[in-house]
Amino acid sequence: TGKYTGSLSTSNPRVLRIAPEQLLATESYEFQCFVALTSNPDNNNTASVVVDVAQQPITAQIGGGKERASGTDQALVLDASVSVDPDDMSDKWSYEWSCVDKTDGTTCTDTTGGDLEIQPNNTNVVARVPAGMLYEGTYEFSVFVKKGADRNDTASTTVVITAGAPPVVSIGTLSEDKYNPIADSYVQLVGSATSSGPIVSTEWTQVATSTTGAFVLGSDARLTGVVQVAALTAGVTYTFKLTATDVFGESGYSTVEVVVNEAPSSGSLAIVPSNGYVFDTDFTFLSSNWVDEDLPLSYKFVYTVGYEGSWTPVADAQASASYDALLPQGLVEDNYTLTGMTVVYDYYDSYSSATDTTRVLPVKYSTAQLANISAALTTEALELGDPEASMQIMGATHKSLSGGSSDERRKLTSSSEEAALRSALLETLQDTYAMSDITQANVDSMMSTLDGIVNAPNDLTTATAMDSLLFAQKLLVVSVDNEIGISATGTGYTGTALSKLLLSSMFNASDVTSVTSVSAENVTETLRYLSMAQLDGAYAGIGYTVSSSLIHSSSTREEAQYLGGDSKGVPGSNAKVSFPSNFSHAAKLKVSGTTYVDTRVVTLGTDIYTAYDGYGSTVASNMYGSSTYNTDLNSAVTQVEVMDEDGNVFDVGGLDPAAPIYVTMQATEPIDTNFSAWKMEKVCYSDGQVIEMDCPLGTQTYTCDSSLGGVDGSYFLDFTCPGVVPTCMWWSEGEGEWAHEGCSVVNYTSTNVTCACTHLTDFVLGKNVSAAAVDISFTSSPTSLPTPLPSPLPTSLPTAIPTALPTAAPSPAPTPQPTAVPTSQPTA
């Protein structure tokens, strides 16, 4: 009841999530929940709750910065229209401006000696002081803002008046009151600068502090600076200053304050009981005694098998400080220990954590028994509308499949039974997804469960592998569509799950049911959405990585104007891409210089096109320890894409070969660069003589031809053996094979090859064998008679042109300095 206009439908039938701004301030709402048994709808009941929505405080703000410079010859304009009412009430705003001379604390006076008048009046949203009305000095302007009868706030800004007309510098208001000093937390400082002449330089600096690495590399020299909050100290307020200098050497500035939040503290976690059994024991997480000034607090509970590793959420963040969960069995080598963690968030999402351990012992089941228990428990959980419990049961099930060992794969009595169980778990995961709210924690849980389902690729049917890949893609698509991004934990599970799927029968050329071409497209699309989820809400200059056994990637966001001459690398590999200096123009991106452009560089440790590329098997090492397969390919597949924020890929091609894109790839097998071993020196003495060369790739023969030699037919033979050399190739969708036109080797070492390419796509290194080469030389025939005198030693420089007749006498010794310019007439 009330004026609620939001949706009452929800994926999780037990939880109604109300989106922000759906409840109006000062209103009262009554929500009612009807509960019935699905097996007996007549057995039902209702409960209701009344929600009274209070008003939030308004925030007064003056645009432009905390402190700024202005000139005696400039009009000063101050704008309070950026003040915020989070409830967006219809009441009118009112404003009252004032000014204090900070030199003596008195009310400001103008250059005529009277009180300073703010135009058009001191109750307007914009305050204006005409040029020439203030002497040089420091002034504090304040605005008292009021809305309605009870809500008001005050904001102030300091203005330093200097002589003349320096550049006018302004900094946009910040979106948050406080920022958290945690990984992947950034604040964007948006500046602007104008002057009567061109602005030639801008610089961001810190005032009164000096923190190394505070700015994202390069952004401190741009109008828009990006601060890495993780480099700052909790509880400290930082002042950042933007200075702009114009062509006349005049400088102006503005400052902004960034408040760094403090995380909750002093709390602890207890897990009870201290030991129990998988499927049989409910474990309770109890988080207590946390302290923070920014209430309310919320609690998330996660666990890892053993003492360290990837964390799996047992449920989304909630207001309750306790939670009951079913946990998977521990590992025998860790005495079946699990580590639980509580993550406690304050109002601004700054967080702290505490851990405790418990022991979860196994219960021995056959594969069939495990399947039956899992099916019964997950069915019950879903019928009760409890998707969190369903995911906990699936987690316990796939951990039991590993047999309580850190070895990810356990050989069961019946591999077909295990394959069937993994297929059933995936179906249950799909059903659980349909009942789950799309939150970052739930995506983490589902990716963790998917990772467990696919952790034995040899026991996945092709259909299950394909459906698993599509499910991972679906999770990433909804993460992008709902603008929730993806956590580092979710990214890690995605990378490991996809790595295992690359080893499945989807990419097995010997499997007649393989649909590798479709799977290759799905892998690319899934990785594209992973990049989009990682970069959700990112600023220019920000990048994220993925590093798993077979997948390594980097995703970075940059303004189009800064892509030229930039290089993007990949973790865990020497692979990188380097753009030409005029890339945005040459690639015809057709976007403004300040438009965000995302670059995705990925290396895949298998040839995802192997089923129909004509080269055979994968370049990856099998995860169970077998050796690298033989192949004509000699690197990971390297994908390079440039796309906009919405994931639309730019078609980059037809670049000038003189200004190409350089793609560096790391060779899987070392490249032979011992070129001296390829060189053979031999002598041909007679016509038809056969010479054998012991070359690195096998014996080569050469038949002598006396017509190529000197007088007696003999000659020296410099023979270059054939050798394995790298080639640069790219995947041609039209031809369905690896092609090489448009990419060429620039240089290479034993481990890395740099290719010059005129387009972007999927790249790989190939192998070729160079042709043998022969160089012939021989001694010239002697003259019929000896020369009368020995030839003189050669001079260090060419001799002068000889004269027609001998000179009368030798030239004198050279002078220590150059001789004078010659005269036009002979000297006396």
Side-chain angles (χ1 to χ4, degrees):
T1 60
K3 297 181 179 180
Y4 182 66
T5 59
S7 173
L8 289 173
S9 63
T10 176
S11 298
N12 186 337
R14 299 184 311 129
V15 179
L16 174 64
R17 293 185 183 274
I18 300 174
E21 302 178 3
Q22 293 295 312
L23 302 182
L24 302 179
T26 73
E27 295 290 335
S28 180
Y29 301 85
E30 182 176 0
F31 293 92
Q32 186 180 83
C33 179
F34 173 83
V35 180
L37 293 177
T38 55
S39 59
N40 183 11
D42 292 333
N43 190 353
N44 61 70
N45 207 337
T46 61
S48 62
V49 63
V50 175
V51 178
D52 296 319
V53 185
Q55 283 187 305
Q56 301 175 80
I58 61 173
T59 302
Q61 293 181 333
I62 301 173
K66 186 66 177 177
E67 180 179 308
R68 71 202 70 190
S70 188
T72 55
D73 298 340
Q74 294 169 314
L76 175 64
V77 179
L78 303 174
D79 187 356
S81 65
V82 292
S83 299
V84 177
D85 175 9
D87 295 328
D88 197 24
M89 301 294 287
S90 59
D91 301 328
K92 290 186 177 181
W93 292 89
S94 65
Y95 307 89
E96 185 175 347
W97 292 90
S98 59
C99 177
V100 172
D101 188 330
K102 295 192 72 173
T103 303
D104 53 17
T106 60
T107 300
C108 297
T109 57
D110 60 24
T111 51
T112 67
D115 290 343
L116 179 68
E117 293 187 5
I118 296 174
Q119 299 180 1
N121 54 64
N122 68 339
T123 61
N124 197 57
V125 64
V126 176
R128 186 176 186 274
V129 177
M133 296 302 292
L134 287 171
Y135 288 112
E136 293 182 49
T138 302
Y139 304 87
E140 182 177 78
F141 286 83
S142 299
V143 62
F144 175 76
V145 176
K146 187 175 182 181
K147 195 174 188 186
D150 302 320
R151 296 190 298 162
N152 57 75
D153 193 27
T154 301
S156 62
T157 185
T158 299
V159 180
V160 178
I161 302 295
T162 60
V168 177
V169 180
S170 178
I171 302 173
T173 55
L174 302 182
S175 59
E176 303 289 343
D177 296 329
K178 295 182 178 182
Y179 291 88
N180 301 321
I182 57 177
D184 300 331
S185 177
Y186 302 91
V187 54
Q188 186 181 51
L189 308 179
V190 180
S192 64
T194 59
S195 182
S196 58
I199 299 295
V200 295
S201 69
T202 58
E203 181 185 20
W204 286 97
T205 55
Q206 296 179 57
V207 178
T209 58
S210 180
T211 305
T212 303
F215 283 91
V216 170
L217 186 64
S219 71
D220 55 343
R222 303 177 185 178
L223 277 173
T224 297
V226 179
V227 175
Q228 303 182 92
V229 190
L232 307 181
T233 302
V236 176
T237 297
Y238 290 82
T239 300
F240 294 96
K241 179 179 181 181
L242 174 62
T243 303
T245 304
D246 63 19
V247 70
F248 308 115
E250 296 289 329
S251 294
Y253 72 90
S254 182
T255 69
V256 64
E257 290 183 345
V258 175
V259 180
V260 184
N261 193 16
E262 289 187 284
S265 61
S266 304
S268 62
L269 171 69
I271 303 176
V272 293
S274 59
N275 60 75
Y277 290 87
V278 65
F279 296 117
D280 291 340
T281 305
D282 284 333
F283 293 87
T284 300
F285 289 67
L286 299 170
S287 187
S288 57
N289 300 323
W290 293 93
V291 177
D292 194 275
E293 65 179 18
D294 300 314
L295 302 177
L297 301 181
S298 59
Y299 305 83
K300 184 170 75 173
F301 301 100
V302 299
Y303 70 87
T304 186
V305 176
Y307 295 96
E308 59 184 5
S310 298
W311 296 96
T312 299
V314 297
D316 203 355
Q318 56 179 22
S320 175
S322 66
Y323 190 85
D324 294 338
L326 186 151
L327 298 175
Q329 70 181 67
L331 301 177
V332 63
E333 55 260 44
D334 293 325
N335 197 23
Y336 301 106
T337 299
L338 266 71
T339 302
M341 177 189 292
T342 179
V343 185
V344 184
Y345 301 87
D346 69 7
Y347 176 80
Y348 295 101
D349 284 338
S350 186
Y351 62 84
S352 292
S353 62
T355 61
D356 192 20
T357 60
T358 188
R359 294 175 67 232
V360 185
L361 284 73
V363 176
K364 291 187 177 180
Y365 298 111
S366 68
T367 306
Q369 289 173 325
L370 183 62
N372 291 335
I373 292 171
S374 177
L377 292 176
T378 53
T379 299
E380 180 182 8
L382 293 176
E383 286 181 348
L384 292 174
D386 193 349
E388 290 89 357
S390 177
M391 280 188 278
Q392 293 164 25
I393 296 161
M394 285 186 286
T397 303
H398 71 69
K399 290 295 183 183
S400 295
L401 277 174
S402 67
S405 170
S406 58
D407 182 1
E408 286 190 315
R409 190 181 187 284
R410 179 188 66 158
K411 271 295 182 184
L412 297 172
T413 305
S414 172
S415 181
S416 62
E417 286 185 351
E418 182 175 341
L421 177 52
R422 292 182 186 277
S423 297
L425 285 173
L426 181 62
E427 291 181 12
T428 303
L429 182 58
Q430 298 270 17
D431 294 338
T432 304
Y433 164 83
M435 194 177 285
S436 300
D437 293 318
I438 303 304
T439 66
Q440 199 172 86
N442 283 343
V443 170
D444 288 353
S445 294
M446 287 184 276
M447 279 296 188
S448 169
T449 302
L450 180 67
D451 181 36
I453 292 172
V454 303
N455 70 358
N458 289 351
D459 286 319
L460 296 175
T461 66
T462 301
T464 301
M466 288 184 60
D467 289 343
S468 297
L469 176 59
L470 292 175
F471 182 74
Q473 184 180 128
K474 179 163 63 176
L475 286 178
L476 295 169
V477 169
V478 296
S479 297
V480 171
D481 290 345
N482 287 272
E483 298 181 349
I484 62 172
I486 189 168
S487 70
T489 297
T491 297
Y493 282 127
T494 305
T496 54
L498 294 179
S499 286
K500 292 162 187 172
L501 287 172
L502 290 179
L503 294 170
S504 72
S505 56
M506 283 191 295
F507 303 101
N508 185 349
S510 65
D511 185 350
V512 295
T513 65
S514 176
V515 282
T516 303
S517 59
V518 175
S519 298
E521 294 173 6
N522 286 331
V523 167
T524 300
E525 189 75 1
T526 301
L527 289 170
R528 186 178 297 136
Y529 272 102
L530 176 58
S531 174
M532 293 168 64
Q534 287 182 290
L535 291 172
D536 180 74
Y539 302 126
I542 304 302
Y544 298 92
T545 62
V546 177
S547 188
S548 61
S549 58
L550 296 181
I551 297 175
H552 301 275
S553 77
S554 69
S555 301
T556 54
R557 175 161 291 170
E558 189 53 274
E559 292 182 11
Q561 62 185 323
Y562 297 116
L563 276 179
D566 197 10
S567 293
K568 309 293 184 184
V570 177
S573 170
N574 294 332
K576 72 174 182 178
V577 59
S578 301
F579 297 111
S581 59
N582 64 339
F583 176 71
S584 293
H585 173 73
K588 300 180 176 63
L589 300 187
K590 297 180 180 179
V591 296
S592 69
T594 57
T595 299
Y596 284 168
V597 175
D598 298 341
T599 302
R600 185 177 72 87
V601 185
V602 183
T603 61
L604 302 171
T606 60
D607 177 9
I608 58 175
Y609 304 106
T610 188
Y612 62 107
D613 67 5
Y615 286 98
S617 53
T618 175
V619 297
S621 295
N622 187 286
M623 68 181 294
Y624 305 125
S626 62
S627 62
T628 302
Y629 298 112
N630 293 326
T631 177
D632 286 330
L633 304 185
N634 194 33
S635 75
V637 174
T638 301
Q639 297 184 335
V640 184
E641 285 185 343
V642 176
M643 55 191 184
D644 64 18
E645 287 184 85
D646 297 324
N648 300 306
V649 179
F650 293 104
D651 184 12
V652 177
L655 272 64
D656 184 353
I661 297 168
Y662 292 106
V663 180
T664 299
M665 289 175 276
Q666 183 173 326
T668 305
E669 297 177 358
I671 301 169
D672 184 6
T673 55
N674 183 20
F675 302 119
S676 61
W678 300 13
K679 302 291 186 180
M680 304 287 171
E681 294 181 355
K682 302 292 182 179
V683 179
C684 277
Y685 293 104
S686 60
D687 193 45
Q689 176 187 353
V690 177
I691 299 176
E692 291 187 350
M693 258 71 64
D694 186 16
C695 290
L697 298 184
T699 302
Q700 295 281 315
T701 60
Y702 177 82
T703 302
C704 298
D705 181 355
S706 60
S707 67
L708 301 176
V711 174
D712 61 355
S714 65
Y715 54 92
F716 299 104
L717 178 68
D718 290 330
F719 187 87
T720 302
C721 296
V724 177
V725 294
T727 58
C728 300
M729 299 192 294
W730 55 275
W731 182 253
S732 171
E733 289 288 348
E735 300 297 327
E737 63 181 8
W738 293 105
H740 61 84
E741 297 85 358
C743 276
S744 58
V745 175
V746 176
N747 55 60
Y748 67 93
T749 66
S750 61
T751 56
N752 301 321
V753 180
T754 298
C755 305
C757 302
T758 57
H759 66 295
L760 291 181
T761 181
D762 290 4
F763 302 96
V764 77
L765 295 180
K767 297 178 183 178
N768 201 356
V769 178
S770 61
V774 176
D775 188 25
I776 294 171
S777 62
F778 52 85
T779 304
S780 300
S781 301
T783 57
S784 57
L785 295 174
T787 55
L789 293 173
S791 301
L793 293 174
T795 58
S796 58
L797 295 173
T799 55
I801 300 174
T803 56
L805 295 174
T807 55
S811 301
T815 58
Q817 300 293 331
T819 57
V821 177
T823 58
S824 59
Q825 299 296 326
T827 56

